[in-house]
Amino acid sequence: MKKNKISIYGLTLFLLCCKSVTAKSQTSVTPESKEAYRQRMEWFDEAKLGIFIHWGIYSVDGVSESWSFYNNRIPYDQYMEQRKHFKAENYDPKQWVELIKESGAKYTVLTTKHHDGFALWDTKAGSLSAKKSSPAKRDLIAPFAEEVRKQGLKLGLYYSLLDWSNENYPNHTRTTSRYDIKKDPKRWEKFCKFNFSQMGELNETFKPDLYWFDGDWEQKAEDWNSSGIIKLLRSTNPNVIVNSRIQGYGDYATPEIGVPVVRPKNRYWELCYTINDSWGYQPGDTNFKTPQMLLSTFVDCLSMGGNLLLDIGPEADGTIPQEEVEVLKTFGRWTSKHKEAIYKTRAGIPGNYFNGYTTLNKAGDVLYLYMPYKPIGSVPLKGIINEVKKVWVVGSGEALHYKLYNKLSWSEVPGIIYIDVPENVQDPNITVVAVQLDGPIKLYGGEGQVITSN
Ligand code: GLC
């Protein structure tokens, strides 16, 4: 068994985690009013873009993070050998955060420990860490957290609840399991104690704004003691936001890679997304999406009221691959020009009113139209009951010519507004046009009308 030092704080955690075995013993989470929840989620709701970072020993050989040994693609020992070459010698957290900030992201989420159990911070629980078991020999989270704060971004920490390396965790690989937690609850308690110690350390040391849990699918809420985890985190970090991967206790949904087609039911959501097909650094994976495709997906998320958490996978020495740097820089150029139509927006209107993505400002009286294509001639917008007061190009503020057609005196069907978007105002990636209405947007939802009197 790995020896875990138990501090007084750790003992408290132990008590919490001992309660984890049966559903009945769940510690209840203090209920929160709708308004308090809204306030707690406010920064997240307005952040829109986050940068995810998957960094760990898997970047040494460029294999898939944790899954490569779990799925028996390579032997466990070979996978773990990578830690002996994980040096992080060119790691420059200041530069990382500068680039993240430049992209227009308002928060960033870094892996503190993936499913392989290798901790990037100097954990006191166990010895599998960058500090204790790799030539990096230091805490890699602390300087990052410091920079994130210094540069005014929100800090998110990814933590894998499951740990396939821990000897008290039941699963090891897809084909080998250590034990059954129902048959040996005491052993499971030991694992819970370890997990709670690590989460307690992260919470105390870094006081993150957000936790990005992962790996919850292997156990049930009562086994993880999900409510106990939330209670622990909130005890010293009351406003912390937690993603949904904690078996029913999270604050927001996390669709992964597959872009939602309809607006997710959860009020708050975030699409986590890769630039190529991998989370971590895999030089063999050159299936990069273009900056244009990625920006378009970002706007797709905005139009459905969600965030994009775009992932990068640095190399073992800390270098961010050039392809990813370019994506972040393209995002930076576009987001700095279109701030007005990004951060304080909410979901737009259905696609049958406008051929493209849309959002609204908070008051609902400015409609933003996003065109990830080159418009030919003028662009139609239909079904808007309001009077249009003004139309302009976001970024330059240049007023655009528009004209209302088909507004018939006998019909309640609003006409079609045609907006001229000449080539000289178009953005090289996505042109955004703002439409000022006479009040909160009102949409016509009918099938058209037949004349009865003229
Ligand atoms: C999945 C994978 C993991 C990755 C995560 C990011 O749950 O297990 O490898 O870190 O998604 O969303």
Side-chain angles (χ1 to χ4, degrees), residues 195-356:
N195 235 9
F196 270 71
S197 302
Q198 288 207 322
M199 288 182 275
E201 286 177 1
L202 290 174
N203 210 42
E204 288 291 290
T205 318
F206 305 115
K207 299 194 172 29
D209 301 290
L210 181 148
Y211 281 99
W212 215 100
F213 287 116
D214 198 15
D216 66 330
W217 63 83
E218 287 202 347
Q219 315 297 338
K220 298 195 189 81
E222 58 265 32
D223 292 327
W224 291 126
N225 189 3
S226 301
S227 61
I229 295 174
I230 301 284
K231 237 186 149 183
L232 163 74
L233 305 178
R234 287 205 197 145
S235 65
T236 53
N237 198 358
N239 293 321
V240 73
I241 292 177
V242 175
N243 76 340
S244 61
R245 300 188 181 187
I246 180 164
Q247 296 285 6
Y249 282 84
D251 294 313
Y252 71 92
T254 57
E256 177 165 339
I257 300 179
V259 185
V261 175
V262 295
R263 192 176 163 190
K265 286 192 193 74
N266 202 306
R267 163 74 181 82
Y268 303 103
W269 63 274
E270 166 201 81
L271 173 74
C272 53
Y273 207 59
T274 51
I275 291 180
N276 51 5
D277 292 326
S278 312
W279 295 106
Y281 174 63
Q282 287 196 49
D285 176 359
T286 54
N287 199 22
F288 293 103
K289 286 167 279 269
T290 64
Q292 177 68 16
M293 290 173 185
L294 295 161
L295 270 176
S296 207
T297 298
F298 175 42
V299 169
D300 195 356
C301 293
L302 290 180
S303 76
M304 292 188 279
N307 290 8
L308 176 70
L309 184 64
L310 187 64
D311 181 72
I312 58 173
E315 295 178 39
D317 70 350
T319 305
I320 300 177
Q322 199 45 41
E323 293 87 348
E324 299 179 347
V325 172
E326 271 159 34
V327 167
L328 266 56
K329 286 191 176 283
T330 307
F331 265 69
R333 185 202 66 78
W334 191 85
T335 54
S336 66
K337 177 175 168 190
H338 297 103
K339 287 187 200 81
E340 173 196 342
I342 300 173
Y343 304 107
K344 296 218 165 157
T345 61
R346 55 186 169 100
I349 59 176
N352 35 354
Y353 293 84
F354 174 69
N355 183 15

Side-chain angles (χ1 to χ4, degrees), residues 52 54 65-67 111 114-115 158 164 212 214-215 217 245 256 272 279:
F52 211 173
H54 274 69
E65 69 290 341
S66 312
W67 292 99
T111 46
H114 205 261
H115 313 325
Y158 169 108
W164 292 325
W212 215 100
D214 198 15
W217 63 83
R245 300 188 181 187
E256 177 165 339
C272 53
W279 295 106

Side-chain angles (χ1 to χ4, degrees), residues 64-83:
S64 128
E65 69 290 341
S66 312
W67 292 99
S68 47
F69 74 82
Y70 182 81
N71 286 329
N72 297 317
R73 299 241 186 280
I74 57 172
Y76 177 74
D77 292 344
Q78 184 187 327
Y79 179 93
M80 291 313 290
E81 272 291 303
Q82 295 180 93
R83 75 181 201 280

Side-chain angles (χ1 to χ4, degrees), residues 32-223:
E32 186 182 33
S33 71
K34 266 194 174 167
E35 180 50 22
Y37 175 48
R38 194 199 59 75
Q39 279 180 23
R40 195 163 56 81
M41 295 304 288
E42 198 164 11
W43 74 258
F44 179 82
D45 192 37
E46 292 180 357
K48 306 298 184 192
L49 181 65
I51 300 297
F52 211 173
I53 308 170
H54 274 69
W55 198 33
I57 58 171
Y58 39 82
S59 55
V60 169
D61 291 344
V63 294
S64 128
E65 69 290 341
S66 312
W67 292 99
S68 47
F69 74 82
Y70 182 81
N71 286 329
N72 297 317
R73 299 241 186 280
I74 57 172
Y76 177 74
D77 292 344
Q78 184 187 327
Y79 179 93
M80 291 313 290
E81 272 291 303
Q82 295 180 93
R83 75 181 201 280
K84 298 190 179 149
H85 308 281
F86 186 65
K87 299 197 187 87
E89 67 272 34
N90 296 318
Y91 175 40
D92 184 346
K94 181 166 178 278
Q95 210 180 40
W96 279 21
V97 180
E98 277 167 2
L99 179 65
I100 291 167
K101 194 168 176 176
E102 184 184 335
S103 76
K106 301 294 179 195
Y107 66 112
T108 177
V109 181
L110 174 59
T111 46
T112 60
K113 182 181 92 164
H114 205 261
H115 313 325
D116 59 14
F118 182 85
L120 261 62
W121 83 101
D122 180 18
T123 179
K124 305 289 177 274
S127 54
L128 190 53
S129 68
K131 170 98 186 228
K132 292 184 195 136
S133 58
S134 84
K137 278 200 165 69
R138 62 197 194 280
D139 187 324
L140 299 171
I141 300 292
F144 180 78
E146 198 184 316
E147 266 307 321
V148 169
R149 301 283 182 220
K150 211 185 272 174
Q151 299 194 37
L153 299 183
K154 296 283 184 187
L155 176 68
L157 299 182
Y158 169 108
Y159 181 80
S160 171
L161 290 168
L162 68 81
D163 185 332
W164 292 325
S165 284
N166 190 290
E167 60 177 359
N168 290 316
Y169 189 76
N171 303 339
H172 181 40
T173 70
R174 193 172 285 283
T175 45
T176 50
S177 131
R178 297 185 177 94
Y179 70 104
D180 177 343
I181 65 172
K182 294 288 170 257
K183 292 194 182 133
D184 195 349
K186 288 257 172 307
R187 192 166 172 190
W188 175 247
E189 279 172 24
K190 279 186 193 155
F191 178 74
C192 288
K193 188 178 89 177
F194 161 82
N195 235 9
F196 270 71
S197 302
Q198 288 207 322
M199 288 182 275
E201 286 177 1
L202 290 174
N203 210 42
E204 288 291 290
T205 318
F206 305 115
K207 299 194 172 29
D209 301 290
L210 181 148
Y211 281 99
W212 215 100
F213 287 116
D214 198 15
D216 66 330
W217 63 83
E218 287 202 347
Q219 315 297 338
K220 298 195 189 81
E222 58 265 32
D223 292 327

